[in-house]
Amino acid sequence: MILSARSRYAQNPIEEEDIVADGLVKKGKNVVRLNRGDPPVYFPTPKYIINAYISALREAKTFYSRAEGAHMLVEAVQKRYRRMYGINASEDSIIVTQGVSEALGFINSALINDGDSAVIFKPYYPLYVPLLKIYGGNPIMGSYNEASGWGIDSEKLSRMLKALPKSRARRAKYLLITNPSNPTGTVLSRRVLKEIIDIANEHSLLIVSDEIYDEITYNGARFTSVGELAKGVPHIILNGASKDFDATGFRIGFMLVPEHDKTSMAIKEKLADYAKARLSVNTPAQYAVAAAMSNESEHRKAIRSMVRGIADRANFATRLIAENSLFEVVEPNGAFYIFPKVDLKKIGFKSDAEFVDRLLKEEYVQLTRGSGFGAPSHIRIVALPPKDILGYAINKINEFCNRHSRSTGP
Ligand SMILES: Cc1ncc(COP(=O)(O)O)c(C=O)c1O
């Protein structure tokens, strides 16, 4: 067999229906694609960022950058975290990566031996689990609690960790949270965050906090970075340009390991080795993001306008979905996803995968199945398109549900 055993984990449920959708497009069908969370498709990357990229090219910034990240970007990240969260990260605490995706690969490769584990919460961002498994790890599954608005029940988490067999607990390396969450759109409260940090500390788990949507919050939600609360507790913050700077295609992410304890020092040194092993991240994109991050007034204008648009669309789509009695939905207050629970029995489908597949084939609307996020009986809708497109798609979803409800009888 030419392929490795671990290669079977390389898959992404968000894109698994793309071949079907592409086939429908080829046949001339108008497919509404609400599966990929790609903001620039609907909110063009701000002009000042595009111009910064063009300037970097004109200035011939086309060489390999410093492997851990161009100084200019590292300094911009340092300043951003000091300004926004009061976090003082030294230059060697910041590693620039090709998106948070690469950062996750580095972290797993640096920390996970065969048979090790990590605490991940359902519903999770779908790449967390395959990336852990590819490196020989396996998840210890916690869960966000839908009944309490997708928060984390810290007492339950604490009980779960205490009940782990000693051999398994010893091999648990990190605890990973997503705040704000993809797919639920939930922003964790400061209190819950503090409780999670205390629990992770008690169990000697490194905290990894994926904060890629930290500036995309609305409906009165207040975001807190793990770095504001986890003083003296080893943690890694993940972020990047994809969402806040509306530039997914630049492929710029970064990790911060702000603490200076033995664990944090070993991790940051090793992550720098990983960066050196792949030479460089896209250099002009790093200069563009550095300029964007340093231009506070332009960024403020751009992010305000994008978040206002996202909130309007997400709230609109949530209201429409909530009107259909087959769905139960927790209102999102961050990121740009809606994650309703579907009453599959009432419409006669055996799984969320079947729902999503039939919806695409019958109504030409592409969603992602909740089971891809570890939460069967849910669907994820990307609420980025303008309201007329979202309204059209949700109308199609409703027609689809009505048709199938009728056909299963009373
Ligand atoms: C929670 C979360 N983490 C990471 C990523 C990947 O980000 P990047 O574009 O920086 O690789 C995404 C993309 O949607 C995401 O939602």
Side-chain angles (χ1 to χ4, degrees):
M1 177 62 168
I2 186 77
L3 299 177
S4 68
R6 77 172 74 87
S7 69
R8 71 184 184 277
Y9 299 120
Q11 44 183 272
N12 187 350
I14 294 171
E15 291 166 24
E16 71 191 6
E17 292 274 7
D18 277 0
I19 293 173
V20 178
D22 290 345
L24 290 168
V25 171
K26 266 200 196 120
K27 283 190 195 151
K29 306 292 182 203
N30 170 30
V31 179
V32 184
R33 308 185 91 146
L34 304 180
N35 59 314
R36 243 179 162 198
D38 197 355
V41 175
Y42 295 105
F43 294 89
T45 305
K47 269 268 154 41
Y48 81 98
I49 302 181
I50 303 277
N51 288 338
Y53 202 130
I54 293 169
S55 298
L57 287 173
R58 291 231 161 88
E59 288 160 21
K61 309 269 194 221
T62 48
F63 38 80
Y64 288 135
S65 78
R66 174 174 168 267
E68 307 92 308
H71 281 297
M72 200 176 147
L73 179 53
V74 170
E75 277 165 26
V77 172
Q78 261 181 315
K79 283 195 189 131
R80 177 183 192 268
Y81 275 82
R82 197 170 305 131
R83 185 172 69 236
M84 289 177 63
Y85 304 118
I87 297 168
N88 287 311
S90 55
E91 186 162 295
D92 68 339
S93 306
I94 296 166
I95 312 276
V96 176
T97 54
Q98 297 174 76
V100 166
S101 309
E102 187 184 52
L104 290 165
F106 282 6
I107 290 169
N108 282 302
S109 185
L111 303 182
I112 298 294
N113 286 313
D114 280 341
D116 284 348
S117 55
V119 180
I120 292 175
F121 297 86
K122 290 192 275 193
Y124 45 76
Y125 173 62
L127 294 185
Y128 294 159
V129 175
L131 283 172
L132 173 63
K133 288 187 172 172
I134 281 170
Y135 290 98
N138 54 68
I140 296 170
M141 274 300 168
S143 46
Y144 296 101
N145 180 3
E146 189 165 17
S148 70
W150 293 119
I152 287 180
D153 180 339
S154 36
E155 277 178 27
K156 196 168 151 205
L157 171 66
S158 179
R159 276 199 306 276
M160 180 186 90
L161 292 176
K162 282 186 179 140
L164 286 175
K166 276 229 161 50
S167 55
R168 189 144 159 82
R170 237 194 339 264
R171 304 201 60 178
K173 289 285 181 68
Y174 65 82
L175 174 147
L176 172 54
I177 53 173
T178 322
N179 183 30
S181 159
N182 173 6
T184 67
T186 304
V187 180
L188 292 176
S189 73
R190 208 175 165 86
R191 179 184 58 79
V192 165
L193 213 50
K194 181 85 190 73
E195 288 168 359
I196 295 167
I197 293 165
D198 289 345
I199 292 169
N201 195 23
E202 186 188 339
H203 292 268
S204 302
L205 288 165
L206 170 75
I207 301 162
V208 180
S209 185
D210 183 345
E211 303 183 354
I212 194 165
Y213 299 97
D214 64 342
E215 290 193 67
I216 306 178
T217 61
Y218 41 90
N219 296 342
R222 271 187 63 96
F223 169 82
T224 306
S225 171
V226 144
E228 292 176 69
L229 302 178
K231 304 290 182 207
V233 180
H235 61 276
I236 305 180
I237 300 169
L238 306 179
N239 208 330
S242 286
K243 317 289 172 165
D244 291 347
F245 291 89
D246 194 12
T248 44
F250 283 19
R251 308 309 302 129
I252 298 291
F254 46 85
M255 305 183 259
L256 276 87
V257 193
E259 294 294 318
H260 295 282
D261 54 89
K262 236 168 98 184
T263 301
S264 301
M265 294 310 288
I267 290 171
K268 62 183 111 183
E269 270 172 37
K270 190 43 69 186
L271 293 175
D273 288 341
Y274 274 90
K276 287 171 193 152
R278 62 85 173 99
L279 311 190
S280 171
V281 170
N282 178 325
T283 304
Q286 289 188 70
Y287 280 91
V289 174
M293 217 176 258
S294 308
N295 193 337
E296 283 178 59
S297 65
E298 284 296 334
H299 177 60
R300 199 173 307 122
K301 265 190 268 167
I303 189 81
R304 274 196 190 149
S305 151
M306 185 171 78
V307 171
R308 210 176 299 126
I310 287 172
D312 189 38
R313 294 171 193 194
N315 288 336
F316 169 77
T318 307
R319 252 192 328 272
L320 285 189
I321 283 288
E323 281 169 13
N324 185 332
S325 62
L326 288 173
F327 298 118
E328 262 176 59
V329 61
V330 174
E331 187 182 276
N333 52 10
F336 34 70
Y337 306 100
I338 303 167
F339 199 62
K341 187 172 186 179
V342 191
D343 192 336
L344 291 171
K345 248 200 210 137
K346 267 205 190 133
I347 39 176
F349 289 128
K350 59 178 187 313
S351 67
D352 51 320
E354 188 187 1
F355 180 99
V356 163
D357 185 57
R358 304 253 321 245
L359 177 72
L360 174 60
K361 289 172 181 160
E362 294 175 27
E363 301 291 347
Y364 316 131
V365 175
Q366 186 179 6
L367 307 179
T368 308
R369 61 184 166 92
S371 47
F373 303 82
S377 301
H378 289 74
I379 49 173
R380 191 192 72 165
I381 302 170
V382 171
L384 286 170
K387 289 199 274 192
D388 57 335
I389 299 179
L390 282 174
Y392 168 86
I394 294 170
N395 207 15
K396 290 284 171 197
I397 294 172
N398 288 337
E399 280 175 23
F400 172 79
C401 290
N402 288 342
R403 192 168 62 247
H404 287 282
S405 304
R406 272 202 297 274
S407 67
T408 55

